[in-house]
Amino acid sequence: MKSGNAVLGVHFLLSLIEPVDASAVRRRLGIGTPAPLTDTGAAWELRRLHAPASVLLWMLERDDPGTNRLVFHQSHVGDALKRDILRGLPFGAADGPLPVRVDCGQQFCSHAAPAIPVSPHGLIGGLREARTMRSARTAARAVSKPDWAAVAEADRVEPLPGFTRWALAERIDCPPRLRAQFGSHAKFTNRLRNAGIVEPREYIEHSRPPRDVLAVLSVGTQLFPHRVGEAAASLAPAVRAELGANLDAWAVLAQLLPTFAGTVPELVATCGAIARV
């Protein structure tokens, strides 16, 4: 196999089978073990792979100051997240506040807290008054991590406007329970996926193409291993059943992966079926 996203994906799948079988597959395919990456290099790979927006939250859930610094300097991180990082707020299970180390040494890079206005009518009042997508996103920026419970309660008392609900739902740090409270219609779910808001199991079951999905998870073993573990647990039974120690099935995978347009489960099932013919 040549280097690239496909090889990264194969490395991830091989991590789901027995090590002795994985070694045999590597010999058959002519690939070595994965090259080590620095955290900075892994973050660069995620940008190159156009990883879904949710990976930034998965990184923050580590509650690691070094990882938080990487997230802080991503170009598409919103001001609300930057503010909460600078406040040392934990996104995972750690007790806060966390040490804050966002200085990157770049001369023209700002590490100041972003100015985020709050409506004269207060946080909830501003969310209720939004009548356009733009005003809703402006109001949603003011929501900090400790505010989500109050937002959820306000929506239960009286549903927030539709624009506001979407502006909140598309925040990567919006709690999943609140998104579910906003609605579970298929159209809403599809819009979230298109915005890159996914859970690991959902990502591996529905996103495509497989070469990029698997490459993201391969890189993610370094930056969000706890979340990669969720995806791996979902996929591993099929990989072991369809591919396992079958070298022919892995050879088929190596041929199909670079151009396969379906989902990861479809790819795994297809390779197993072809190898059994």
Side-chain angles (χ1 to χ4, degrees):
M1 291 188 70
K2 297 180 180 179
S3 60
N5 298 358
V7 173
L8 283 173
V10 171
H11 284 316
F12 176 72
L13 292 175
L14 287 173
S15 72
L16 307 182
I17 65 173
E18 293 297 326
V20 63
D21 296 330
S23 295
V25 173
R26 288 192 178 95
R27 289 193 296 271
R28 170 69 178 270
L29 301 183
I31 60 175
T33 55
L37 287 172
T38 64
D39 284 356
T40 301
W44 183 90
E45 282 289 324
L46 291 176
R47 290 196 299 272
R48 182 184 68 82
L49 291 164
H50 303 291
S54 287
V55 303
L56 297 175
L57 178 63
W58 301 347
M59 291 168 67
L60 290 172
E61 288 172 346
R62 295 181 71 188
D63 289 333
D64 172 67
T67 305
N68 288 359
R69 181 175 62 244
L70 291 174
V71 174
F72 184 90
H73 291 287
Q74 300 300 305
S75 60
H76 51 294
V77 171
D79 286 348
L81 278 182
K82 288 187 174 183
R83 172 200 56 204
D84 286 355
I85 291 171
L86 290 171
R87 289 176 176 174
L89 296 178
F91 289 83
D95 294 327
L98 302 174
V100 178
R101 295 194 291 268
V102 298
D103 192 351
C104 63
Q106 298 295 320
Q107 182 178 0
F108 299 106
C109 183
S110 173
H111 305 110
I116 301 178
V118 179
S119 168
H121 302 285
L123 177 67
I124 302 301
L127 294 172
R128 291 204 182 282
E129 289 185 340
R131 293 295 180 268
T132 65
M133 196 70 250
R134 181 175 181 178
S135 62
R137 284 180 172 142
T138 298
R141 286 175 62 212
V143 177
S144 183
K145 189 173 185 294
D147 299 324
W148 287 112
V151 172
E153 178 60 24
D155 182 72
R156 282 192 293 269
V157 171
E158 179 184 347
L160 295 168
F163 285 124
T164 297
R165 282 183 155 195
W166 176 248
L168 293 167
E170 69 178 359
R171 287 262 308 256
I172 64 171
D173 55 335
C174 177
R177 286 186 180 181
L178 181 55
R179 286 201 190 99
Q181 182 175 310
F182 289 158
S184 57
H185 191 278
K187 183 177 180 180
F188 180 72
T189 302
N190 288 334
R191 286 184 67 189
L192 286 173
R193 286 180 188 155
N194 291 337
I197 308 297
V198 290
E199 290 296 317
R201 180 168 184 165
E202 180 185 15
Y203 179 55
I204 204 164
E205 290 180 353
H206 297 284
S207 298
R208 56 187 75 195
R211 67 177 183 276
D212 292 345
V213 173
L214 293 170
V216 166
L217 294 173
S218 180
V219 174
T221 57
Q222 182 159 334
L223 292 178
F224 41 92
H226 61 300
R227 289 298 211 154
V228 171
E230 296 176 25
S234 171
L235 185 62
V239 171
R240 292 165 186 160
E242 298 289 350
L243 304 176
N246 188 332
L247 298 182
D248 290 336
W250 285 98
V252 172
L253 178 91
Q255 291 182 322
L256 294 185
L257 181 55
T259 58
F260 195 82
T263 64
V264 173
E266 290 168 349
L267 170 68
V268 171
T270 298
C271 293
I274 292 175
R276 288 192 294 270
V277 173

